[in-house]
Amino acid sequence: MSELLDPTNDYVFKRLFAEAPDLLVDLINDLRPDLPDIASVDISNPNIEPAELNGKYIILDVLARDGGGNCCNVEIQVRRYWAWHKRGLFYLTRTLGNQLSVGEDYEELRASVGLHLLDFDLFTESAAEREQAIWRFEMRDERQ
């Protein structure tokens, strides 16, 4: 019997979703149950470059775009970083900033979603924080 590859490994994670984008669609829809389902994604960075396998680089694990042009950055993280919230925000702003080229109108910007699968508790101040499985943050007005 062969051993399964660890899906928390960045290489395995990226290759899995690049080769089976239908799994990525299911994952995104499962993690956003109160939003309309997406039907398909286009994986913007399917190749695994040699620079991603070593060195200190900021590489998005899986960057996908849905049929409406919205970006979704899916990250897997097993090691706890104390500044994870800042790192996650940086990844999210990067997906926003990379959407437009010189001269394009800001009206062309689409939503950017960051889905971060963490193998550690990000918030640990209280029992309620430690027991909460899904956290959702939005940068928009609550009524509009």
Side-chain angles (χ1 to χ4, degrees), residues 71-143:
C71 295
C72 188
N73 168 231
V74 184
E75 293 289 324
I76 184 92
Q77 185 65 44
V78 296
R79 188 179 334 143
R80 182 184 180 98
Y81 287 98
W82 290 108
W84 182 260
H85 58 292
K86 291 179 181 179
R87 185 177 182 167
L89 185 60
F90 178 77
Y91 287 170
L92 189 60
T93 57
R94 190 174 214 186
T95 62
L96 277 171
N98 287 337
Q99 287 185 40
L100 298 180
S101 298
V102 174
E104 287 186 288
D105 194 281
Y106 292 106
E107 291 293 322
E108 300 300 317
L109 279 176
R110 297 293 176 250
S112 287
V113 175
L115 299 173
H116 299 208
L117 307 170
L118 308 178
D119 192 23
F120 57 87
D121 291 327
L122 185 59
F123 302 103
T124 59
E125 292 296 316
S126 68
E129 286 183 0
R130 289 187 298 278
E131 292 170 8
Q132 185 171 339
I134 296 176
W135 292 80
R136 179 175 172 170
F137 304 94
E138 297 181 5
M139 296 185 341
R140 64 179 179 183
D141 183 77
E142 66 183 15
R143 286 181 243 140

Side-chain angles (χ1 to χ4, degrees), residues 3 10 22 27 30 34 41-42 44 46-47 59-60 64 70 81 87 96-97 99 102 113 120 125 127 130 134 140:
E3 289 187 39
D10 285 342
D22 55 316
L27 176 66
D30 286 346
D34 57 329
V41 292
D42 172 40
S44 304
N47 298 324
I59 304 292
L60 301 177
N70 301 306
Y81 287 98
R87 185 177 182 167
L96 277 171
Q99 287 185 40
V102 174
V113 175
F120 57 87
E125 292 296 316
R130 289 187 298 278
I134 296 176
R140 64 179 179 183

